Amino acid sequence: MGPTRMSIPEQASYEDGLEDEARIARLFEMTSDLLATISRDGRFTLLNPAWEQLLGWSLQELQSGPIEEFMHPEDVEQTLALLATRDEQPVQLEHFTNRYRHRDGSWRWLMWSTRCDGDTWYAAAKDVTDRMWLERQALHDPLTRLPNRLLLMDRARQALARMHRSNGVVAMLFVDLDRFKAVNDNLGHDAGDQLLIGISARLAELMRDSDTVARLGGDEFVILAEDIENESEAIALAERVLDALEDPFPLGSTEVAILASVGISVSRDSDADPEAMLREADVAMYRAKAAGGRRLALFDESLRQELSTRMEIENRLRHALPRHELFLAYQPIMPLAGGFAVGAEALVRWRPDGAELPAGAEMLPGMFLPRAQESELIVQIGNWVLHTACAQAEIWRRNGIAIPVSINVSARELTELDLAERVREELAYCRLPGRALCVEVSEEAVLRDPERARSALKDLKRLGVSIALDNFGSGESSLRLPRDLPLDTVKLDRALVQSFDRDKERRAAFAATIALAKEARLTAVAVGIETNRQLALVRELDCSLGQGFLLHNPAAPDQLRLRDAAGSVTSAPWRPLVRLGSGSRR
Ligand code: C2E
Ligand code: MG
């Protein structure tokens, strides 16, 4: 009995064992996880069928050659080095990722969990392509595929932390293209996009593997370079960037040369804040730009002073609204033939409490709005301006003065919040018709996000609000009226109007714009008329409305030359002191 009784369990466990193996083999066949054994010299020795499903290759094909044949070239070196790791202890690796090629040519991201025993790696992998794609989306600029600001900041943090191991510095180069807008204007947005892609490729070519080229948006790129010896080396790198961009880029049937401005900030401190470094490089870039095109500037002590003033302004500005330090001045829009205001533009002013300003002095928007535009403050200020201007329009209407009030709206207000909804609420609150308000936007603001800007303007238009294109003809932009915006008015920029005295070409361009505006049934307003000569020239060019210090300064509401419907006036009408030449028209 004894031996027989002994043999029964042995027999059973042998058969159970066979069954276990068959079950394991079935699991191996069925699982959608990728299972494999890999030799140290980089060949698949066993694969489950899930591989065929995922990559489209047969198991025989996958096992026929070295695994690197199926791997993304950028991942080969690191993967083979890992496979060849020698250690007395078994090696275990989690969360290692690399890419494999599908039969159709696309790439799949795999995340591995592996363990090496003797000469074999036992591996399980998961397809994480979707997740990696989402992560990449969140960290890369979709157009150029360069790292975005988030990834740049992360890399900068790592570079700064690594710095204590070397004697070098970390440098950030802020690159801004000087004439990109002109390319967009003259050759169209597709050409602009092609140019940005070409520029990113050229910058990437210039860099070492350890450097990062990122795109912050628009025409702004940042280069992060580590293991740089000192400031001089950072400057030399910036020179190379300027040189590289100067070679013309082929664009369709033409070529464009790009001028750039580069601002440099350098840090030796491994605890430095990457955001602060970026701000410093940005400030230096502005200095380079102000010095004229194709320049570079290093962030230094004088700029540190400027930056601290900027930050102080931003801090004070945070309290400006609750402390009632902001107010609106109104500059009338006047008929050039003389008379009373036909509209008034609200211009924000700031009198900071306790600031070292002469009595009665105030800060102009150019001194503080750029700070507000860098943060959400512009939205709060914009809301206040809208509310205050509507309240003023309501007071005027109640007193029989039915002129529209214009407000200026910046890019962020136009595209980031539901401006039309805010305007609708405010008009309803003040019981104003849409025509009591005009919204002024610059072409530059529209270009930030043309789709959203256009749709916001259309929504405003539906409320009866009129739309003015502001600062037309400023800078280098071509004097071409954008077709697909729902405009009522075009405001010709001060720089354009004031260039007439000297520049006949600009005058001709202005005349052509007025003709086009007429054809498109737009009202033209010439801004910045300071002298009688400018007034005469503008009138000769058949423009009938204007704004300027000669006609009326921006002023408090009770100091404007206005006339109510019954004809009573708040002060005498404005009269031009100009005698027009023989070629003039009235
Ligand atoms: P803008 O919309 O082009 O406004 C006209 C600017 O030209 C005003 O400057 C006005 O004072 C000035 N100006 C008018 N006539 C003359 C003239 O004959 N000669 C000269 N040299 N200047 C003249 P200001 O008030 O400094 O405003 C500058 C810019 O700030 C405005 O330019 C507008 O873009 C922006 N801004 C003003 N208020 C607001 C606001 O409430 N919100 C937003 N987002 N921007 C505003
Ligand atoms: Mg304006």
Side-chain angles (χ1 to χ4, degrees):
M1 274 297 276
T4 322
R5 286 175 70 183
M6 284 296 290
S7 68
I8 292 168
E10 266 175 23
Q11 184 72 23
S13 75
Y14 175 70
E15 281 173 1
D16 280 355
L18 273 183
E19 263 183 40
D20 278 351
E21 252 176 48
R23 284 194 205 124
I24 290 168
R26 257 189 91 71
L27 283 177
F28 183 78
E29 305 259 312
M30 283 171 57
T31 177
S32 60
D33 279 352
L34 304 156
L35 302 174
T37 57
I38 307 169
S39 61
R40 272 190 188 279
D41 61 354
R43 285 171 177 272
F44 288 121
T45 44
L46 183 67
L47 290 165
N48 71 334
W51 286 90
E52 280 181 346
Q53 290 286 325
L54 182 78
L55 294 180
W57 306 101
S58 73
L59 297 183
Q60 288 82 344
E61 282 170 316
L62 287 166
Q63 282 175 283
S64 65
I67 54 175
E68 62 190 85
E69 283 179 12
F70 298 94
M71 210 184 283
H72 196 289
E74 284 171 14
D75 299 338
V76 169
E77 194 181 332
Q78 194 191 9
T79 310
L80 293 187
L82 276 173
L83 285 175
T85 318
R86 288 249 164 239
D87 207 321
E88 295 301 303
Q89 303 296 320
V91 185
Q92 180 130 2
L93 270 180
E94 299 286 341
H95 304 305
F96 173 72
T97 51
N98 59 13
R99 285 159 285 182
Y100 282 79
R101 188 157 47 91
H102 189 278
R103 193 177 205 115
D104 66 12
S106 62
W107 295 99
R108 297 285 188 278
W109 279 95
L110 300 187
M111 183 183 277
W112 296 84
S113 197
T114 57
R115 187 186 164 89
C116 183
D117 228 344
D119 273 334
T120 301
W121 284 90
Y122 297 85
K126 271 192 169 53
D127 173 21
V128 291
T129 311
D130 290 347
R131 198 168 99 198
M132 293 301 271
W133 189 81
L134 285 174
E135 274 175 23
R136 278 187 75 79
Q137 285 285 96
L139 295 174
H140 290 79
D141 161 47
L143 176 68
T144 60
R145 300 183 186 210
L146 291 178
N148 62 13
R149 185 192 181 107
L150 210 63
L151 186 53
L152 171 73
M153 287 297 110
D154 192 46
R155 298 242 175 108
R157 218 163 278 124
Q158 291 173 24
L160 287 163
R162 272 194 294 269
M163 198 168 51
H164 68 273
R165 283 189 245 137
S166 68
N167 287 327
V169 299
V170 169
M172 254 191 219
L173 275 60
F174 201 116
V175 183
D176 183 275
L177 311 179
D178 287 341
R179 287 203 308 235
F180 181 67
K181 187 171 177 308
V183 172
N184 252 344
D185 278 356
N186 296 320
L187 303 175
H189 290 271
D190 287 345
D193 285 354
Q194 283 315 308
L195 181 62
L196 290 173
I197 292 170
I199 287 168
S200 18
R202 218 175 263 181
L203 290 177
E205 226 170 72
L206 210 64
M207 298 301 127
R208 299 164 304 173
D209 286 347
S210 58
D211 300 339
T212 297
V213 183
R215 179 173 175 232
L216 297 194
D219 54 0
E220 294 175 343
F221 294 85
V222 173
I223 294 162
L224 169 76
E226 55 184 307
D227 275 337
I228 292 254
E229 218 164 273
N230 51 28
E231 281 83 353
S232 315
E233 203 184 326
I235 290 174
L237 177 62
E239 293 276 8
R240 289 205 298 280
V241 167
L242 291 176
D243 286 346
L245 295 182
E246 228 169 10
D247 274 348
F249 288 86
L251 268 190
S253 56
T254 125
E255 281 191 331
V256 289
I258 282 295
L259 294 182
S261 303
V262 183
I264 308 165
S265 68
V266 158
S267 180
R268 293 189 158 73
D269 173 9
S270 48
D271 291 329
D273 171 12
E275 289 284 353
M277 273 191 87
L278 184 65
R279 228 173 6 245
E280 292 172 2
D282 187 18
V283 172
M285 186 278 290
Y286 272 102
R287 157 133 341 153
K289 220 180 177 69
R294 201 202 176 280
R295 294 287 171 107
L296 55 87
L298 184 69
F299 185 81
D300 58 11
E301 214 21 70
S302 70
L303 282 176
R304 191 173 302 285
Q305 195 58 46
E306 196 176 311
L307 184 62
S308 87
T309 312
R310 267 170 70 161
M311 296 188 58
E312 193 192 326
I313 289 183
E314 188 178 327
N315 286 338
R316 279 175 174 250
L317 194 54
R318 291 194 177 279
H319 306 294
L321 271 179
R323 291 184 186 159
H324 307 288
E325 293 172 356
L326 295 183
F327 62 99
L328 291 182
Y330 294 84
Q331 187 177 34
I333 297 165
M334 305 294 287
L336 295 184
F340 295 92
V342 297
E345 177 176 9
L347 297 163
V348 67
R349 301 286 181 261
W350 180 23
R351 195 172 294 133
D353 200 25
E356 288 157 15
L357 284 174
E362 58 208 26
M363 282 182 44
L364 295 175
M367 298 162 82
F368 61 91
L369 276 190
R371 302 289 78 74
Q373 272 151 0
E374 284 160 12
S375 65
E376 79 301 341
L377 266 178
I378 189 64
V379 174
Q380 294 169 28
I381 294 179
N383 269 330
W384 175 84
V385 170
L386 170 65
H387 173 72
T388 312
C390 283
Q392 184 59 54
E394 195 273 329
I395 294 174
W396 277 330
R397 282 191 173 244
R398 230 185 309 130
N399 288 291
I401 301 161
I403 53 169
V405 174
S406 304
I407 56 166
N408 291 281
V409 167
S410 57
R412 212 159 164 167
E413 294 167 81
L414 186 63
T415 51
E416 276 181 29
L417 75 167
D418 193 351
L419 183 65
E421 181 52 23
R422 271 290 299 124
V423 167
R424 195 191 58 75
E425 281 170 9
E426 203 58 57
L427 290 173
Y429 181 78
C430 295
R431 297 175 189 215
L432 287 172
R435 63 176 183 283
L437 191 70
C438 170
V439 166
E440 298 192 0
V441 286
S442 69
E443 207 177 356
E444 206 183 330
V446 172
L447 284 177
R448 283 278 175 92
D449 186 346
E451 275 310 309
R452 294 186 66 177
R454 204 171 295 132
S455 116
L457 293 180
K458 284 191 178 145
D459 290 346
L460 284 169
K461 187 83 187 175
R462 263 182 232 121
L463 298 173
V465 172
S466 58
I467 313 286
L469 185 66
D470 209 356
N471 310 110
F472 186 75
S474 61
E476 324 137 351
S477 80
S478 61
L479 288 171
R480 201 177 299 147
L481 282 168
R483 283 219 204 109
D484 43 0
L485 295 179
L487 300 178
D488 302 278
T489 300
V490 50
K491 297 188 78 173
L492 299 135
D493 193 69
R494 196 161 90 204
L496 183 66
V497 171
Q498 296 180 350
S499 68
F500 285 1
D501 291 4
R502 297 161 268 124
D503 192 338
K504 282 202 171 136
E505 242 172 66
R506 296 296 269 180
R507 220 185 308 173
F510 181 94
T513 310
I514 299 282
L516 280 177
K518 284 222 156 116
E519 213 175 276
R521 293 175 190 278
L522 300 183
T523 308
V525 179
V527 179
I529 301 174
E530 288 180 2
T531 64
N532 284 317
R533 181 171 156 73
Q534 283 162 357
L535 172 65
L537 287 171
V538 167
R539 284 183 69 185
E540 267 176 30
L541 295 174
D542 217 8
C543 182
S544 58
L545 294 178
Q547 233 176 313
F549 295 164
L550 180 73
L551 318 178
H552 205 312
N553 281 331
D558 57 359
Q559 286 164 13
L560 304 185
R561 285 194 179 91
L562 302 169
R563 179 174 52 183
D564 67 18
S568 44
V569 296
T570 55
S571 72
W574 171 78
R575 295 199 192 290
L577 290 171
V578 206
R579 264 192 304 162
L580 294 171
S582 52
S584 64
R585 271 166 278 178
R586 290 192 70 85

